[in-house]
Coordinates of all heavy atoms in Angstrom, one line a residue:
M25 N 6.3 59.7 15.0 CA 7.3 59.9 13.9 C 6.5 60.4 12.7 O 5.5 59.9 12.3 CB 8.0 58.5 13.6 CG 9.0 58.6 12.6 SD 10.1 57.2 12.4 CE 9.1 55.8 12.6
N26 N 7.1 61.4 12.1 CA 6.4 62.0 11.0 C 6.9 61.3 9.7 O 7.8 60.5 9.6 CB 6.6 63.5 10.9 CG 8.1 63.9 10.7 OD1 8.9 63.1 10.3 ND2 8.4 65.1 11.2
F27 N 6.2 61.7 8.6 CA 6.5 61.1 7.3 C 7.9 61.3 6.8 O 8.5 60.4 6.2 CB 5.4 61.6 6.2 CG 5.7 61.1 4.8 CD1 5.3 59.8 4.5 CD2 6.3 61.9 3.9 CE1 5.6 59.3 3.3 CE2 6.5 61.4 2.7 CZ 6.2 60.1 2.3
L28 N 8.4 62.5 7.0 CA 9.8 62.8 6.6 C 10.8 61.9 7.2 O 11.7 61.4 6.5 CB 10.1 64.3 6.8 CG 11.4 64.7 6.3 CD1 11.5 64.6 4.8 CD2 11.7 66.2 6.7
D29 N 10.6 61.6 8.5 CA 11.5 60.7 9.2 C 11.5 59.3 8.6 O 12.5 58.7 8.4 CB 11.3 60.6 10.7 CG 11.6 62.0 11.4 OD1 12.3 62.8 10.8 OD2 11.0 62.1 12.5
V30 N 10.3 58.8 8.3 CA 10.1 57.5 7.8 C 10.8 57.5 6.4 O 11.5 56.5 6.1 CB 8.6 57.1 7.7 CG1 8.4 55.9 7.0 CG2 8.1 57.0 9.1
F31 N 10.5 58.5 5.6 CA 11.0 58.5 4.3 C 12.5 58.5 4.3 O 13.2 57.8 3.5 CB 10.5 59.8 3.5 CG 11.0 59.9 2.1 CD1 10.4 59.1 1.1 CD2 11.9 60.8 1.8 CE1 10.8 59.2 -0.2 CE2 12.3 61.0 0.5 CZ 11.8 60.2 -0.5
I32 N 13.1 59.3 5.2 CA 14.6 59.4 5.2 C 15.2 58.0 5.6 O 16.2 57.6 5.0 CB 15.1 60.5 6.2 CG1 14.7 61.9 5.6 CG2 16.5 60.4 6.5 CD1 14.9 63.0 6.5
I33 N 14.6 57.4 6.6 CA 15.1 56.1 7.0 C 15.0 55.1 5.9 O 16.0 54.3 5.7 CB 14.4 55.7 8.3 CG1 14.8 56.6 9.5 CG2 14.6 54.2 8.6 CD1 14.0 56.4 10.7
I34 N 13.9 55.0 5.2 CA 13.7 54.0 4.2 C 14.6 54.3 3.0 O 15.3 53.4 2.5 CB 12.2 53.9 3.8 CG1 11.5 53.3 4.9 CG2 12.1 53.1 2.5 CD1 9.9 53.4 4.6
V35 N 14.7 55.5 2.6 CA 15.6 55.9 1.5 C 17.1 55.7 1.8 O 17.8 55.2 1.0 CB 15.4 57.4 1.0 CG1 16.5 57.9 0.1 CG2 14.1 57.5 0.4
L36 N 17.5 56.0 3.0 CA 18.9 55.7 3.5 C 19.2 54.2 3.4 O 20.3 53.9 2.9 CB 19.0 56.3 4.9 CG 20.5 56.2 5.5 CD1 21.4 57.0 4.7 CD2 20.4 56.7 6.9
A37 N 18.3 53.4 3.9 CA 18.5 52.0 3.9 C 18.6 51.5 2.4 O 19.5 50.7 2.1 CB 17.4 51.2 4.6
A38 N 17.8 52.0 1.5 CA 17.8 51.6 0.1 C 19.1 52.0 -0.6 O 19.7 51.3 -1.3 CB 16.6 52.1 -0.6
V39 N 19.5 53.3 -0.3 CA 20.7 53.8 -1.0 C 21.9 53.1 -0.5 O 22.8 52.7 -1.3 CB 20.8 55.3 -0.7 CG1 22.2 55.8 -1.1 CG2 19.8 56.1 -1.5
L40 N 22.0 52.8 0.8 CA 23.2 52.1 1.3 C 23.2 50.6 0.8 O 24.2 50.1 0.5 CB 23.1 52.1 2.8 CG 23.5 53.4 3.6 CD1 23.3 53.4 5.0 CD2 24.8 53.9 3.2
N41 N 22.0 50.0 0.7 CA 22.0 48.6 0.2 C 22.4 48.6 -1.3 O 23.1 47.7 -1.7 CB 20.6 48.0 0.4 CG 20.4 47.4 1.7 OD1 21.3 47.2 2.5 ND2 19.2 47.1 2.0
I42 N 22.0 49.5 -2.0 CA 22.3 49.6 -3.4 C 23.8 49.8 -3.6 O 24.5 49.2 -4.4 CB 21.5 50.7 -4.2 CG1 20.0 50.3 -4.3 CG2 22.2 51.0 -5.6 CD1 19.1 51.3 -4.8
A43 N 24.4 50.7 -2.7 CA 25.8 51.0 -2.8 C 26.6 49.7 -2.4 O 27.6 49.4 -3.1 CB 26.2 52.1 -1.8
V44 N 26.2 49.0 -1.4 CA 26.9 47.7 -1.0 C 26.8 46.7 -2.1 O 27.7 46.0 -2.4 CB 26.3 47.2 0.3 CG1 26.7 45.8 0.5 CG2 26.7 48.1 1.4
Y45 N 25.6 46.6 -2.8 CA 25.4 45.7 -3.9 C 26.3 46.0 -5.0 O 26.9 45.1 -5.6 CB 24.0 45.6 -4.3 CG 23.7 44.6 -5.4 CD1 23.6 43.2 -5.1 CD2 23.6 45.0 -6.7 CE1 23.3 42.3 -6.1 CE2 23.4 44.1 -7.7 CZ 23.2 42.7 -7.4 OH 23.0 41.8 -8.4
V46 N 26.4 47.2 -5.4 CA 27.3 47.7 -6.5 C 28.7 47.4 -6.2 O 29.5 46.9 -7.0 CB 27.0 49.2 -6.8 CG1 28.1 49.7 -7.8 CG2 25.6 49.3 -7.4
I47 N 29.2 47.7 -5.0 CA 30.5 47.5 -4.6 C 30.8 45.9 -4.6 O 31.9 45.5 -5.1 CB 30.8 48.0 -3.2 CG1 30.8 49.5 -3.2 CG2 32.1 47.4 -2.6 CD1 30.8 50.2 -1.8
F48 N 29.9 45.2 -4.1 CA 30.1 43.7 -4.2 C 30.2 43.2 -5.6 O 31.1 42.4 -5.9 CB 28.9 43.0 -3.4 CG 29.0 41.4 -3.6 CD1 29.8 40.7 -2.8 CD2 28.1 40.9 -4.6 CE1 29.9 39.3 -2.9 CE2 28.2 39.5 -4.7 CZ 29.1 38.7 -3.8
K49 N 29.3 43.6 -6.4 CA 29.2 43.1 -7.8 C 30.5 43.5 -8.6 O 31.0 42.8 -9.4 CB 28.0 43.7 -8.5 CG 27.7 43.1 -9.8 CD 26.9 41.9 -9.7 CE 26.3 41.7 -11.1 NZ 26.0 40.5 -11.5
K50 N 31.0 44.7 -8.3 CA 32.1 45.3 -9.0 C 33.5 44.7 -8.5 O 34.3 44.4 -9.3 CB 32.1 46.8 -8.9 CG 33.2 47.5 -9.8 CD 33.0 49.0 -9.8 CE 34.0 49.6 -10.8 NZ 33.8 51.0 -10.8
Y51 N 33.6 44.6 -7.2 CA 34.9 44.3 -6.7 C 35.1 42.9 -6.1 O 36.2 42.3 -6.1 CB 35.3 45.3 -5.6 CG 35.5 46.7 -6.1 CD1 34.5 47.7 -5.8 CD2 36.5 47.0 -6.9 CE1 34.7 49.0 -6.2 CE2 36.7 48.3 -7.4 CZ 35.7 49.3 -7.1 OH 35.9 50.5 -7.5
F52 N 34.0 42.2 -5.6 CA 34.1 41.0 -4.9 C 33.5 39.8 -5.5 O 33.9 38.7 -5.3 CB 33.5 41.1 -3.5 CG 34.1 42.3 -2.6 CD1 33.3 43.1 -2.0 CD2 35.4 42.4 -2.6 CE1 33.8 44.1 -1.2 CE2 36.0 43.4 -1.8 CZ 35.2 44.3 -1.1
Y53 N 32.6 40.0 -6.4 CA 31.8 38.9 -7.1 C 32.8 38.1 -7.9 O 33.6 38.5 -8.7 CB 30.7 39.4 -7.9 CG 30.0 38.3 -8.7 CD1 29.3 37.3 -7.9 CD2 29.9 38.2 -10.0 CE1 28.6 36.3 -8.6 CE2 29.3 37.2 -10.7 CZ 28.6 36.2 -10.0 OH 28.0 35.2 -10.6
G54 N 32.8 36.7 -7.7 CA 33.6 35.8 -8.5 C 34.9 35.6 -7.9 O 35.8 34.8 -8.4
R55 N 35.3 36.3 -6.8 CA 36.6 36.2 -6.2 C 36.5 35.2 -5.0 O 35.4 34.9 -4.5 CB 37.2 37.5 -5.8 CG 37.3 38.4 -7.0 CD 38.2 39.5 -6.8 NE 38.4 40.3 -8.0 CZ 38.5 41.6 -8.1 NH1 38.4 42.3 -7.0 NH2 38.7 42.2 -9.2
E56 N 37.7 34.9 -4.5 CA 37.7 34.0 -3.3 C 37.2 34.7 -2.1 O 37.4 35.9 -1.9 CB 39.1 33.6 -3.1 CG 39.3 32.5 -2.1 CD 40.7 32.0 -2.0 OE1 41.4 31.9 -3.1 OE2 41.1 31.7 -0.9
D57 N 36.4 34.0 -1.3 CA 35.8 34.5 -0.1 C 34.9 35.7 -0.3 O 34.9 36.7 0.5 CB 36.9 34.9 1.0 CG 37.6 33.7 1.5 OD1 37.0 32.6 1.5 OD2 38.8 33.8 1.8
A58 N 34.1 35.7 -1.4 CA 33.3 36.8 -1.7 C 32.2 37.1 -0.6 O 31.9 38.2 -0.3 CB 32.6 36.6 -3.1
G59 N 31.7 36.0 0.0 CA 30.7 36.1 1.0 C 31.3 36.9 2.2 O 30.6 37.7 2.8
L60 N 32.5 36.5 2.7 CA 33.1 37.1 3.8 C 33.4 38.6 3.5 O 33.2 39.5 4.4 CB 34.3 36.4 4.2 CG 34.1 35.0 4.9 CD1 35.3 34.3 5.2 CD2 33.2 35.1 6.1
K61 N 33.8 38.9 2.3 CA 34.1 40.3 2.0 C 32.8 41.1 1.9 O 32.8 42.3 2.3 CB 34.8 40.3 0.6 CG 36.2 39.7 0.8 CD 36.9 39.7 -0.6 CE 38.3 39.1 -0.4 NZ 39.0 38.9 -1.7
F62 N 31.7 40.4 1.5 CA 30.4 41.1 1.5 C 30.0 41.5 3.0 O 29.6 42.6 3.3 CB 29.4 40.3 0.8 CG 28.0 40.6 1.2 CD1 27.4 41.8 0.6 CD2 27.2 39.9 2.0 CE1 26.2 42.2 0.9 CE2 25.9 40.3 2.3 CZ 25.4 41.4 1.8
L63 N 30.2 40.5 3.9 CA 29.9 40.7 5.2 C 30.7 41.9 5.9 O 30.3 42.6 6.7 CB 30.0 39.5 6.0 CG 28.9 38.4 5.8 CD1 29.3 37.1 6.6 CD2 27.6 38.9 6.1
T64 N 32.0 42.0 5.5 CA 32.8 43.0 6.0 C 32.4 44.4 5.6 O 32.7 45.4 6.3 CB 34.3 42.8 5.6 OG1 34.5 42.9 4.2 CG2 34.8 41.5 6.2
I65 N 31.7 44.5 4.5 CA 31.2 45.9 4.2 C 29.7 46.0 4.5 O 29.2 47.1 4.8 CB 31.3 46.2 2.6 CG1 30.7 45.2 1.8 CG2 32.8 46.3 2.3 CD1 30.6 45.6 0.3
N66 N 29.0 44.9 4.7 CA 27.6 45.0 5.0 C 27.3 45.3 6.5 O 26.4 46.1 6.8 CB 26.8 43.8 4.5 CG 25.3 44.0 4.6 OD1 24.8 44.9 4.1 ND2 24.6 43.0 5.3
I67 N 28.0 44.6 7.3 CA 27.8 44.8 8.8 C 28.1 46.3 9.2 O 27.3 46.9 9.9 CB 28.6 43.8 9.6 CG1 28.0 42.4 9.4 CG2 28.6 44.2 11.1 CD1 28.7 41.3 10.0
P68 N 29.2 46.9 8.8 CA 29.4 48.3 9.2 C 28.3 49.2 8.6 O 27.9 50.2 9.1 CB 30.8 48.7 8.7 CG 31.5 47.4 8.6 CD 30.4 46.3 8.3
K69 N 27.8 48.9 7.4 CA 26.8 49.6 6.8 C 25.5 49.6 7.6 O 24.9 50.6 7.8 CB 26.5 49.0 5.3 CG 25.5 49.8 4.6 CD 24.1 49.2 4.5 CE 24.0 47.7 4.4 NZ 22.6 47.1 4.5
D70 N 25.2 48.4 8.1 CA 24.1 48.3 9.0 C 24.2 49.1 10.3 O 23.3 49.7 10.8 CB 23.8 46.8 9.3 CG 23.2 46.0 8.1 OD1 22.6 46.7 7.2 OD2 23.4 44.8 8.1
V71 N 25.4 49.1 10.8 CA 25.6 49.9 12.1 C 25.5 51.4 11.8 O 24.9 52.1 12.6 CB 27.0 49.5 12.7 CG1 27.4 50.4 13.8 CG2 27.0 48.1 13.1
I72 N 26.1 51.8 10.7 CA 26.0 53.2 10.3 C 24.5 53.6 10.1 O 24.1 54.6 10.6 CB 26.8 53.5 9.1 CG1 28.3 53.4 9.5 CG2 26.5 54.9 8.6 CD1 29.2 53.4 8.3
W73 N 23.8 52.8 9.4 CA 22.4 53.0 9.1 C 21.6 53.1 10.5 O 20.8 54.0 10.6 CB 21.7 52.0 8.2 CG 20.3 52.1 8.1 CD1 19.6 53.0 7.2 CD2 19.2 51.4 8.8 NE1 18.3 52.8 7.4 CE2 18.0 51.9 8.3 CE3 19.3 50.4 9.8 CZ2 16.8 51.4 8.8 CZ3 18.1 49.9 10.2 CH2 16.9 50.4 9.7
L74 N 21.8 52.2 11.3 CA 21.2 52.2 12.6 C 21.5 53.4 13.5 O 20.6 54.1 14.0 CB 21.5 50.9 13.4 CG 20.8 50.8 14.8 CD1 19.3 50.7 14.6 CD2 21.4 49.6 15.5
L75 N 22.7 53.8 13.5 CA 23.1 55.0 14.3 C 22.5 56.3 13.7 O 22.0 57.2 14.5 CB 24.6 55.2 14.3 CG 25.4 54.1 15.1 CD1 26.9 54.3 15.0 CD2 25.0 54.2 16.6
I76 N 22.5 56.4 12.4 CA 21.9 57.6 11.7 C 20.3 57.6 12.0 O 19.7 58.6 12.3 CB 22.2 57.7 10.3 CG1 23.7 57.9 10.1 CG2 21.3 58.7 9.6 CD1 24.1 57.8 8.6
S77 N 19.7 56.4 11.9 CA 18.3 56.3 12.1 C 17.9 56.7 13.6 O 16.9 57.3 13.8 CB 17.8 54.9 11.8 OG 18.0 54.6 10.5
L78 N 18.7 56.2 14.5 CA 18.4 56.5 15.9 C 18.6 58.0 16.2 O 18.0 58.5 17.1 CB 19.4 55.7 16.8 CG 19.0 54.2 17.0 CD1 20.0 53.5 17.8 CD2 17.6 54.0 17.6
L79 N 19.5 58.7 15.4 CA 19.6 60.1 15.6 C 18.4 60.9 15.1 O 18.0 61.9 15.6 CB 20.9 60.6 15.0 CG 22.2 60.2 15.6 CD1 23.3 60.7 14.7 CD2 22.3 60.8 17.0
I80 N 17.7 60.3 14.1 CA 16.6 61.0 13.4 C 15.3 60.8 14.2 O 14.6 61.8 14.4 CB 16.4 60.4 12.0 CG1 17.6 60.8 11.1 CG2 15.1 60.9 11.4 CD1 17.6 60.1 9.7
I81 N 15.0 59.6 14.7 CA 13.7 59.4 15.3 C 13.7 59.6 16.8 O 14.7 59.6 17.4 CB 13.3 57.9 14.9 CG1 14.1 56.9 15.6 CG2 13.1 57.7 13.5 CD1 13.6 55.5 15.6
D82 N 12.5 59.6 17.3 CA 12.2 59.7 18.7 C 12.4 58.3 19.2 O 12.1 57.3 18.6 CB 10.8 60.1 19.1 CG 10.6 61.5 18.6 OD1 11.5 62.3 18.6 OD2 9.4 61.8 18.2
K83 N 12.9 58.2 20.5 CA 13.1 56.9 21.1 C 11.8 56.4 21.8 O 11.6 56.5 23.0 CB 14.2 57.0 22.1 CG 15.7 56.9 21.6 CD 15.9 58.0 20.6 CE 17.3 58.2 20.2 NZ 17.5 59.4 19.4
T84 N 11.0 55.7 21.0 CA 9.8 55.1 21.5 C 9.7 53.6 21.1 O 10.4 53.3 20.1 CB 8.5 55.8 21.0 OG1 8.4 55.7 19.6 CG2 8.5 57.3 21.5
N85 N 8.8 52.9 21.7 CA 8.7 51.5 21.3 C 8.2 51.3 19.8 O 8.7 50.4 19.1 CB 7.7 50.8 22.3 CG 8.4 50.4 23.6 OD1 9.6 50.5 23.7 ND2 7.5 50.3 24.6
E86 N 7.3 52.1 19.5 CA 6.8 52.0 18.1 C 7.8 52.3 17.1 O 7.9 51.6 16.0 CB 5.6 53.0 17.9 CG 4.4 52.6 18.7 CD 4.5 53.2 20.1 OE1 5.3 54.1 20.4 OE2 3.7 52.8 20.9
N87 N 8.6 53.3 17.3 CA 9.8 53.7 16.4 C 10.8 52.6 16.4 O 11.4 52.3 15.3 CB 10.3 55.0 16.8 CG 9.4 56.1 16.5 OD1 8.4 56.0 15.8 ND2 9.6 57.3 17.1
F88 N 11.1 52.0 17.5 CA 12.0 50.9 17.5 C 11.5 49.7 16.7 O 12.3 49.1 16.0 CB 12.3 50.4 19.0 CG 13.2 49.3 19.1 CD1 14.6 49.5 18.8 CD2 12.8 48.0 19.4 CE1 15.5 48.4 18.9 CE2 13.6 47.0 19.5 CZ 15.0 47.2 19.2
L89 N 10.3 49.4 16.9 CA 9.7 48.3 16.1 C 9.7 48.6 14.6 O 9.9 47.7 13.8 CB 8.3 48.0 16.6 CG 8.2 47.4 18.0 CD1 6.8 47.2 18.3 CD2 8.9 46.0 18.0
F90 N 9.5 49.9 14.2 CA 9.6 50.3 12.8 C 11.0 50.1 12.4 O 11.2 49.5 11.2 CB 9.2 51.7 12.7 CG 9.5 52.3 11.3 CD1 8.7 52.0 10.2 CD2 10.6 53.2 11.1 CE1 9.0 52.5 9.0 CE2 10.9 53.7 9.9 CZ 10.0 53.3 8.8
L91 N 12.0 50.5 13.1 CA 13.4 50.3 12.7 C 13.8 48.8 12.6 O 14.5 48.4 11.7 CB 14.4 50.9 13.7 CG 14.6 52.4 13.6 CD1 15.6 52.9 14.7 CD2 15.1 52.8 12.3
L92 N 13.3 48.0 13.5 CA 13.5 46.6 13.4 C 12.9 46.0 12.1 O 13.5 45.2 11.5 CB 12.9 45.9 14.7 CG 13.1 44.4 14.8 CD1 14.6 44.1 14.9 CD2 12.4 43.9 16.0
G93 N 11.7 46.4 11.8 CA 11.0 45.9 10.7 C 11.8 46.3 9.4 O 12.0 45.6 8.4
C94 N 12.2 47.6 9.4 CA 13.0 48.1 8.2 C 14.3 47.3 8.1 O 14.7 47.0 7.0 CB 13.3 49.6 8.4 SG 11.9 50.7 8.0
F95 N 15.0 47.1 9.2 CA 16.2 46.3 9.1 C 16.0 44.9 8.6 O 16.8 44.4 7.8 CB 16.8 46.2 10.6 CG 18.1 45.4 10.6 CD1 19.3 45.9 10.2 CD2 18.0 44.1 11.1 CE1 20.4 45.1 10.1 CE2 19.2 43.3 11.2 CZ 20.3 43.8 10.7
V96 N 14.9 44.2 9.0 CA 14.7 42.9 8.6 C 14.3 42.8 7.1 O 14.9 42.0 6.3 CB 13.5 42.2 9.4 CG1 13.1 40.9 8.7 CG2 14.0 42.0 10.8
V97 N 13.6 43.8 6.6 CA 13.2 43.8 5.2 C 14.4 44.2 4.4 O 14.7 43.6 3.3 CB 12.0 44.8 5.0 CG1 11.8 45.1 3.5 CG2 10.7 44.3 5.6
A98 N 15.2 45.2 4.8 CA 16.4 45.7 4.1 C 17.4 44.5 4.0 O 18.1 44.3 3.0 CB 17.0 46.9 4.7
S99 N 17.6 43.8 5.1 CA 18.5 42.7 5.1 C 18.1 41.6 4.2 O 18.9 41.0 3.5 CB 18.7 42.1 6.5 OG 19.3 43.1 7.4
F100 N 16.8 41.3 4.2 CA 16.3 40.2 3.3 C 16.6 40.7 1.9 O 17.0 39.9 1.0 CB 14.9 40.0 3.6 CG 14.2 39.0 2.7 CD1 14.4 37.6 2.9 CD2 13.4 39.4 1.6 CE1 13.9 36.7 2.0 CE2 12.8 38.4 0.8 CZ 13.1 37.1 1.0
L101 N 16.3 41.9 1.5 CA 16.4 42.4 0.2 C 17.9 42.4 -0.3 O 18.1 42.4 -1.5 CB 15.7 43.7 0.0 CG 14.2 43.8 0.2 CD1 13.7 45.2 0.1 CD2 13.6 42.9 -0.9
I102 N 18.8 42.6 0.6 CA 20.2 42.6 0.1 C 20.8 41.2 0.2 O 21.6 40.8 -0.7 CB 21.1 43.6 1.0 CG1 22.5 43.7 0.4 CG2 21.3 43.2 2.4 CD1 22.7 44.7 -0.7
Y103 N 20.4 40.3 1.1 CA 21.1 39.0 1.2 C 20.6 38.1 0.2 O 21.4 37.3 -0.3 CB 20.8 38.4 2.7 CG 21.7 38.9 3.7 CD1 21.4 39.9 4.6 CD2 23.0 38.4 3.8 CE1 22.3 40.4 5.5 CE2 23.9 38.8 4.7 CZ 23.5 39.8 5.6 OH 24.4 40.3 6.6
M104 N 19.3 38.1 -0.2 CA 18.8 37.2 -1.2 C 19.5 37.3 -2.6 O 20.0 36.3 -3.1 CB 17.3 37.3 -1.4 CG 16.5 36.8 -0.2 SD 17.0 35.1 0.3 CE 16.4 34.2 -1.2
P105 N 19.7 38.5 -3.1 CA 20.5 38.5 -4.4 C 21.9 38.2 -4.3 O 22.5 37.5 -5.2 CB 20.3 40.0 -4.9 CG 19.3 40.6 -4.1 CD 19.2 39.8 -2.8
I106 N 22.5 38.5 -3.2 CA 24.0 38.2 -2.9 C 24.1 36.7 -2.8 O 25.0 36.1 -3.5 CB 24.5 39.0 -1.7 CG1 24.5 40.5 -1.9 CG2 25.9 38.5 -1.4 CD1 25.3 41.0 -3.0
I107 N 23.2 36.1 -2.0 CA 23.4 34.6 -1.9 C 23.1 33.9 -3.2 O 23.9 32.9 -3.6 CB 22.3 34.1 -0.9 CG1 22.7 34.6 0.5 CG2 22.2 32.6 -0.9 CD1 21.8 34.4 1.6
K108 N 22.2 34.4 -4.0 CA 22.0 33.8 -5.4 C 23.2 34.0 -6.3 O 23.6 33.1 -6.9 CB 20.7 34.4 -6.0 CG 19.4 34.0 -5.5 CD 18.3 34.7 -6.1 CE 16.9 34.2 -5.4 NZ 15.8 34.8 -6.1
L109 N 23.8 35.2 -6.2 CA 25.1 35.3 -7.0 C 26.2 34.5 -6.6 O 26.9 33.9 -7.3 CB 25.5 36.8 -6.9 CG 24.7 37.9 -7.7 CD1 25.2 39.2 -7.4 CD2 24.9 37.5 -9.2
I110 N 26.4 34.3 -5.2 CA 27.5 33.5 -4.7 C 27.2 32.0 -5.1 O 28.2 31.3 -5.4 CB 27.6 33.7 -3.2 CG1 28.1 35.1 -2.9 CG2 28.5 32.6 -2.5 CD1 28.1 35.5 -1.5
N111 N 25.9 31.6 -5.0 CA 25.7 30.2 -5.3 C 25.9 29.9 -6.8 O 26.2 28.8 -7.1 CB 24.2 29.8 -4.9 CG 24.1 29.6 -3.4 OD1 25.1 29.4 -2.7 ND2 22.9 29.8 -3.0
K112 N 25.8 30.9 -7.7 CA 26.0 30.7 -9.1 C 27.4 30.5 -9.4 O 27.8 29.8 -10.3 CB 25.5 31.9 -9.9 CG 24.0 31.9 -10.1 CD 23.6 33.1 -11.0 CE 22.1 33.2 -11.1 NZ 21.8 34.4 -11.9
S113 N 28.3 31.2 -8.6 CA 29.8 31.1 -9.0 C 30.4 29.9 -8.4 O 30.0 29.2 -7.7 CB 30.4 32.4 -8.5 OG 30.4 32.5 -7.1

């Protein structure tokens, strides 16, 4: 996998996570069932990111492990701030 593929996958994950966070903060934060509404937009986002990423990269074990690592890190980075916001309200 070349640098451009890695860059696109990481930037795509970051942009989609930022978009989901902004949508959550603007429309769902402080409302009833905010966590479930967050999940309804986050899970399809993850599926879309995975499908686009699989189209970009070669299907090898190393690339799959890279995608898995990116998914875990991206999920951690989006879930932690959301959980903190939900616990505050």
Side-chain angles (χ1 to χ4, degrees):
M25 181 166 42
N26 62 23
F27 176 75
L28 184 60
D29 293 343
V30 171
F31 181 74
I32 290 171
I33 290 169
I34 292 173
V35 167
L36 183 63
V39 167
L40 289 174
N41 275 347
I42 291 169
V44 167
Y45 182 79
V46 168
I47 290 169
F48 173 80
K49 189 86 161 153
K50 187 172 184 178
Y51 296 109
F52 302 133
Y53 177 62
R55 298 199 176 142
E56 190 173 323
D57 294 333
L60 291 175
K61 292 176 183 174
F62 164 72
L63 287 176
T64 60
I65 60 173
N66 191 52
I67 291 173
K69 182 261 317 174
D70 288 336
V71 170
I72 291 168
W73 174 80
L74 181 63
L75 291 175
I76 293 171
S77 298
L78 286 173
L79 290 173
I80 292 173
I81 65 167
D82 299 326
K83 280 58 170 190
T84 63
N85 285 341
E86 294 83 14
N87 292 343
F88 177 74
L89 291 175
F90 170 73
L91 280 181
L92 184 63
C94 285
F95 176 77
V96 169
V97 170
S99 294
F100 179 76
L101 292 176
I102 187 86
Y103 278 100
M104 288 307 294
I106 297 296
I107 290 170
K108 286 180 183 179
L109 283 175
I110 291 172
N111 284 338
K112 282 183 184 178
S113 62

